[in-house]
Amino acid sequence: MSETKIWNGFRCEEFDFEGRLAALVFPEKANEKKSWTIKTEYRDAFPETEIELLKRGFHCAYLTNNNRWATKEDCDAKARFALYLHEHYGLSEKCVPVGMSCGGCHAVNFAGFHPESVVCMYIDAPVLNFTDNPGNPMIEARRAVWENEFVKAYPGITRAGLLNFDNHPILKAPILIENKIPILMVYGTQDESVSYALNGQFLEDAYADHPGLLTVMVRKLQGHHPHGFPQNPGRIADWIEAHIG
């Protein structure tokens, strides 16, 4: 059973998928490729890019995560969800993950585990290095997140264990490069919530020899928020349209 709602002026169907709340927002007229995005966390946050893409014929989907930290369980569920949307709604086999902050770790890990499900991605101020966030014990707010969220997502993990932890999103970069998945990464130069030097910069370094696969857009003199370019969402939408194959 599904429930029809309105999301930012567009028809939205909410339904249960494997015990998780799922949602699919419909454009007035789908584009020829039946393209779609999946918001990987924070469903309603900074929706301007998705609204712009809906106007251009994209569908926009969401699947609830069990936690914010991109476990394989959540990534595998997204892959099954992608197949479901392809088979039941006729959408493209490959989606465009949209990952903001912790959503960035979901987007990258999802693509790393299931590159066959991803055509390109847009990540914004992404968490890519768990030793920094939430693993940095010097930042008080992160200590609470570590204790209340991360160790529950990864039972038995310790901060020392993060040094050879194989689920850091940044470690998925070789798989993304091998599969030639284009990435748009956006960040603010004054971001104090997710250090670019300890997260996004690592991704830039990994892509140094593959510049055509990574596009970086900078929000000068801005912090963690707002994500995207709320006054000019077409800037990101244009990039996505150009990279959906």
Side-chain angles (χ1 to χ4, degrees), residues 8 18 34 42 110 130 138 157 171:
N8 287 292
E18 299 182 352
K34 297 293 183 69
Y42 312 120
F110 169 43
F130 292 147
M138 303 303 292
I157 191 67
L171 298 181

Side-chain angles (χ1 to χ4, degrees), residues 17-131:
F17 180 80
E18 299 182 352
R20 300 167 184 253
L21 173 64
L24 182 63
V25 186
F26 295 79
E28 291 185 5
K29 182 179 180 180
N31 65 17
E32 291 183 1
K33 297 179 180 179
K34 297 293 183 69
S35 307
W36 59 287
T37 66
I38 182 167
K39 190 72 158 282
T40 53
E41 182 63 23
Y42 312 120
R43 174 183 177 184
D44 295 315
F46 304 98
E48 292 84 4
T49 297
E50 292 148 289
I51 292 170
E52 178 65 22
L53 289 170
L54 282 160
K55 294 176 181 177
R56 301 184 186 199
F58 281 65
H59 288 70
C60 294
Y62 174 78
L63 182 67
T64 305
N65 296 309
N66 287 336
N67 58 73
R68 294 193 293 167
W69 304 106
T71 60
K72 190 173 188 300
E73 180 183 7
D74 277 336
C75 294
D76 290 348
K78 288 182 182 64
R80 295 191 298 273
F81 185 53
L83 181 61
Y84 174 83
L85 293 183
H86 172 63
E87 292 179 343
H88 289 262
Y89 290 91
L91 301 189
S92 171
E93 291 183 89
K94 296 188 176 186
C95 66
V96 181
V98 174
M100 300 174 175
S101 193
C102 288
C105 66
H106 276 279
V108 170
N109 274 3
F110 169 43
F113 286 123
H114 296 282
E116 75 284 355
S117 298
V118 175
V119 61
C120 65
M121 76 173 74
Y122 155 47
I123 53 177
D124 196 308
V127 172
L128 301 176
N129 171 17
F130 292 147
T131 62

